[in-house]
Amino acid sequence: MSFYDASVPAFLQILGSLSGLLTKAEAHCAAKNIQPEVLLGARLYPDMLPLSKQIQLACDFAGKGCARLAHIDVPSTPDTEKTFEDLRQRLAKTSDYLKKFTPAQFEGADSRDVTFPVGPDKTLTLKGQEVLNRFVFPNFYFHAATAHGILRHNGVEIGKRDFLGVA
């Protein structure tokens, strides 16, 4: 399996499922007379990030991760989304961005050095395979699963098939 095939389709699948989760969450708000801002700001625990930030970070790890692996400029993505629709648009833009990558851009990425930020004033350099498996995938799936958990915890009727995008 190529490095491209191992990454881009996986990101696209979950980004699509997150869009579907947000649609169900918005319908849940309407049906239960819940202000959307309440659910968008919901957290699993007070010191965790809210739903909206979980979606933004999932997008960032997918898009910026692929850019770093392909050794192209990392896109700037300000976190300005305030509504379910804004977040679905961000997911769609990220998916459109990923669809522009080609397998050729990922050739040799597994063994190429990739430097990336690990805090406000620190960077780390790893081989592409390590970056994808030890940093990008774990963070991407963490934020996607946390978004799912926040919605499920708040009563949105979703399950594993929704998370996988096969419901």
Side-chain angles (χ1 to χ4, degrees):
M1 176 183 299
S2 74
F3 211 58
Y4 170 90
D5 289 333
S7 56
V8 173
F11 292 135
L12 291 172
Q13 176 185 351
I14 299 301
L15 292 172
S17 75
L18 288 172
S19 184
L21 293 177
L22 291 178
T23 297
K24 287 188 175 191
E26 189 172 31
H28 175 79
C29 286
K32 302 290 183 181
N33 200 24
I34 298 169
Q35 293 298 314
E37 305 80 49
V38 172
L39 200 50
L40 291 166
R43 304 163 187 259
L44 288 177
Y45 194 76
D47 67 352
M48 291 181 75
L49 297 170
L51 173 65
S52 59
K53 188 67 174 171
Q54 302 294 341
I55 300 293
Q56 291 164 341
L57 285 167
C59 289
D60 286 351
F61 279 102
K64 292 178 180 185
C66 284
R68 287 185 179 105
L69 291 168
H71 275 260
I72 63 170
D73 290 336
V74 176
S76 173
T77 50
D79 298 332
T80 59
E81 297 80 16
K82 303 280 187 226
T83 66
F84 286 112
E85 182 56 29
D86 290 345
L87 289 169
R88 280 193 299 270
Q89 287 178 13
R90 181 165 178 156
L91 288 160
K93 286 178 186 174
T94 303
S95 293
D96 289 345
Y97 175 73
L98 294 178
K99 289 174 185 174
K100 293 178 183 174
F101 283 96
T102 66
Q105 289 176 286
F106 286 78
E107 286 180 19
D110 57 328
S111 59
R112 197 179 299 140
D113 283 341
V114 178
T115 302
F116 57 97
V118 290
D121 57 351
K122 290 179 125 183
T123 61
L124 183 61
T125 300
L126 298 171
K127 298 296 182 191
Q129 184 74 44
E130 294 176 295
V131 171
L132 185 63
N133 288 328
R134 291 181 36 206
F135 187 77
V136 176
F137 273 154
N139 279 286
F140 173 76
Y141 284 112
F142 173 84
H143 292 293
T146 301
H148 180 276
I150 289 169
L151 294 175
R152 187 68 190 105
H153 177 74
N154 282 278
V156 179
E157 293 185 19
I158 54 176
K160 182 169 64 171
R161 293 178 62 79
D162 295 290
F163 177 79
L164 296 174
V166 297

